[in-house]
Amino acid sequence: MITNEYLKGLMEDVKKRNPGEPEFHQAVSEVLESLEPVVEKYPEFIEKGVLASIVEPERIIKFRVPWVDDAGKVQINRGFRIQFNSAIGPYKGGLRFHPSVYEGIIKFLGFEQIFKNSLTGLPIGGGKGGSDFDPKGKSDGEVMRFCQSFMTELAKHIGADTDVPAGDIGVGAREIGYLFGQYKRLRNEFTGVLTGKGLTYGGSLARKEATGYGLCYFTDAMMKDHGDSFKGKTVVISGSGNVAIYACEKATALGGKVVAMSDSNGYVYDKNGIDLATVKEIKEVRRGRIKEYVIVHPEAEYHEGCSGIWTIKCDVALPCATQNEISEESAKALVKNGVKVVAEGANMPSTPEAIHTFQKAGVLFGPAKAANAGGVATSALEMSQNSMRYSWTFEEVDAKLHDIMVNIYHNAANAAEEFGMKGNLVAGANIAGFMKVAKSMLAYGVC
Ligand code: NDP
Ligand code: 2IT
């Protein structure tokens, strides 16, 4: 709960100015609560208007995306790009294509991105975009025409030194290819304007793996600091997309046994350990459903409904699907079953009540901004390689990613301790991410 009078008033203001956007309110509320001890020590962040500015996007771009489906019918979707904060670098953040997308979702994601990107230690500001377009069930031709139309408008607002989008839910290598191709054609320039590109046209090795691997490097650092490791741990991972697949790969490599994965329809439980090759074949090759896993592995179980995955007994839970996927009830079920570690691969997957439940129970909790920052950090490494017109090996990128994640863990842990909240990585990540952005904003004066 926020107790500081100024911060309370600011929160009320945010709610009034952004009505009907509960996810954005949730993201802001958590950050403001974490900043209470910071504004006591640094009142200038209030007096000079830094806090009032940081909750207001620098720019919101909202546009029509017309395209023609395979039946020749005109379809209209909505596109968004929120350029939230450029204090420490060009706007940077993914694009999400999902029917649930509206301004409030992009705003919450863009806000989170400011602090996450700062935590990476690399010079990237915060932004996010997307559309309510649903790629599921669409042909490659439909996805291409949609992406080309989306980029026809977006190209006016982005650039390698201005705003560099990437993937998120529903936007992977295929979509980035169509988007990059259209940008190149419209601008007649070959620059690092998008990240997550294919390896033949400027992509970075290890970007595909980076969010999932980074999540496990962070989790490993957090466990090591408490004398523990992935070895012999039972792990549950929600989702079966980009983040979930590579979290499964690295958690397994570090000695964990992943027993469950999911999609928005249901989850599979394989007590022998998930066979990731099967999941990759279903999801990356065929764009199928996770329930097809039991056709190949009849000894595994499939259950309809995605929240049931949190009732499986595990030591480590890695939510890697979407926002608010762990409710208070799911958190209580995890705690009752003895979960020791929860680290967020998705953005804001735990509700505030769920986080409270984990913290009260003494669960090691790695918040999204810190734990899933490996994806965007490696995107920034892709930007560096593009600028240098050079590319690093997989091992070089992976080693940098590993060091970045270990640093993020220690910076968040140290900030929590410095401000009297030892062990609270939610507060630590918010504070450590905030300080660099806020000091830069102070340096610029009112602007
Ligand atoms: P993908 O589209 O590759 O996969 C998303 C996965 O989550 C799918 O299994 C999908 O199931 C499931 N999912 C999506 N929406 C819902 C929903 N409303 N309810 C239940 N399940 C859902 O996306 P990513 O793996 O890239 O992203 C996953 C999460 O990680 C997101 O929160 C994203 O913001 C975050 N993230 C991603 C990064 C990246 O580099 N890609 C970096 C940092 C964070 P289905 O197929 O049924 O829709
Ligand atoms: O939420 C995220 O950090 C991402 N979707 C990745 C953003 C990026 O620019 O790589």
Side-chain angles (χ1 to χ4, degrees):
M1 227 186 38
I2 302 171
T3 54
N4 174 289
E5 281 308 314
Y6 175 83
L7 295 177
K8 250 203 254 180
L10 184 59
M11 189 63 234
E12 281 318 303
D13 238 40
V14 166
K15 285 185 180 164
K16 265 194 226 129
R17 291 158 73 97
N18 303 274
E21 299 180 355
E23 298 85 2
F24 180 52
H25 305 166
Q26 182 182 335
V28 173
S29 171
E30 184 201 280
V31 170
L32 294 187
E33 190 178 328
S34 297
L35 293 179
E36 292 214 319
V38 176
V39 296
E40 271 160 37
K41 192 164 168 192
Y42 300 99
E44 60 269 36
F45 291 143
I46 292 178
E47 288 151 15
K48 308 270 184 186
V50 170
L51 280 161
S53 290
I54 212 166
V55 296
E56 187 68 24
E58 288 176 21
R59 195 171 297 104
I60 296 181
I61 301 146
K62 193 169 167 180
F63 50 98
R64 180 172 68 199
V65 189
W67 58 282
V68 180
D69 68 18
D70 286 347
K73 191 165 175 268
V74 175
Q75 299 284 345
I76 303 295
N77 284 99
R78 261 191 193 166
F80 303 88
R81 185 72 185 168
I82 300 195
Q83 299 179 330
F84 220 120
N85 193 298
S86 60
I88 63 167
Y91 309 105
K92 181 83 197 85
L95 298 171
R96 177 177 292 191
F97 294 169
H98 192 272
S100 62
V101 163
Y102 76 106
E103 199 168 313
I105 292 283
I106 303 300
K107 220 181 264 174
F108 114 67
L109 289 164
F111 184 72
E112 296 274 292
Q113 203 81 42
I114 304 170
F115 308 99
K116 181 197 303 193
N117 292 4
S118 166
L119 279 171
T120 66
L122 300 167
I124 39 179
K128 199 87 185 189
S131 174
D132 57 4
F133 173 74
D134 186 359
K136 253 188 230 127
K138 303 286 193 300
S139 69
D140 285 351
E142 289 177 320
V143 171
M144 180 188 74
R145 291 193 293 280
F146 172 81
C147 287
Q148 290 178 339
S149 179
F150 184 86
M151 183 52 84
T152 299
E153 177 59 31
L154 189 68
K156 298 168 190 163
H157 310 284
I158 62 174
D161 293 316
T162 310
D163 183 356
V164 182
D168 194 81
I169 291 176
V171 179
R174 175 183 60 171
E175 291 74 18
I176 294 291
Y178 294 145
L179 291 162
F180 184 77
Q182 182 73 352
Y183 183 88
K184 187 171 71 59
R185 193 173 167 206
L186 288 165
R187 289 289 185 92
N188 194 22
E189 64 181 38
F190 197 111
T191 49
V193 67
L194 289 161
T195 57
K197 298 186 292 299
L199 297 176
T200 56
Y201 59 94
S204 172
L205 286 159
R207 173 61 188 89
K208 181 176 71 176
E209 293 83 357
T211 311
Y213 278 22
L215 170 67
C216 292
Y217 294 149
F218 178 93
T219 307
D220 188 52
M222 179 167 73
M223 288 200 274
K224 276 206 179 107
D225 203 23
H226 292 80
D228 209 346
S229 79
F230 266 106
K231 281 224 171 63
K233 297 286 185 300
T234 301
V235 183
V236 163
I237 301 179
S238 64
S240 48
N242 173 261
V243 180
I245 285 176
Y246 292 95
C248 179
E249 187 163 288
K250 188 52 76 177
T252 308
L254 291 172
K257 181 164 138 187
V258 179
V259 295
M261 292 180 81
S262 63
D263 61 23
S264 57
N265 293 113
Y267 67 94
V268 286
Y269 172 64
D270 188 341
K271 63 177 182 333
N272 301 321
I274 290 284
D275 173 21
L276 192 60
T278 301
V279 176
K280 282 186 179 176
E281 207 274 321
I282 296 169
K283 289 288 172 181
E284 293 188 332
V285 181
R286 289 194 288 108
R287 298 180 189 277
R289 308 306 300 160
I290 199 72
K291 69 173 167 212
E292 294 161 36
Y293 184 91
V294 295
I295 301 171
V296 186
H297 296 280
E299 71 287 2
E301 299 166 19
Y302 174 73
H303 298 270
E304 280 291 330
C306 36
S307 67
I309 196 170
W310 307 122
T311 63
I312 297 171
K313 190 172 165 53
C314 63
D315 304 303
V316 180
L318 304 175
C320 294
T322 195
Q323 66 276 351
N324 292 328
E325 56 170 312
I326 304 188
S327 63
E328 182 176 21
E329 192 191 339
S330 295
K332 282 185 174 157
L334 280 164
V335 167
K336 192 164 154 253
N337 281 329
V339 75
K340 296 180 187 71
V341 178
V342 177
E344 299 183 319
N347 284 305
M348 208 168 78
S350 312
T351 64
E353 298 76 23
I355 296 176
H356 182 69
T357 303
F358 293 136
Q359 290 178 329
K360 212 172 68 186
V363 171
L364 289 183
F365 182 76
K369 281 183 201 85
N372 75 29
V376 75
T378 307
S379 277
L381 300 177
E382 182 172 329
M383 290 164 72
S384 300
Q385 293 170 83
N386 292 162
S387 303
M388 291 190 289
R389 302 198 189 285
Y390 185 72
S391 43
W392 292 316
T393 62
F394 188 97
E395 290 69 27
E396 284 171 311
V397 179
D398 190 38
K400 289 181 204 298
L401 167 65
H402 180 268
D403 289 353
I404 290 169
M405 298 314 295
V406 172
N407 271 334
I408 292 177
Y409 169 70
H410 290 291
N411 289 344
N414 292 343
E417 189 164 2
E418 183 190 339
F419 286 90
M421 292 178 283
K422 189 170 186 300
N424 182 346
L425 294 176
V426 173
N430 286 333
I431 294 169
F434 171 80
M435 291 306 283
K436 183 174 162 192
V437 178
K439 285 179 182 168
S440 306
M441 290 171 77
L442 266 189
Y444 300 145
V446 179
C447 69

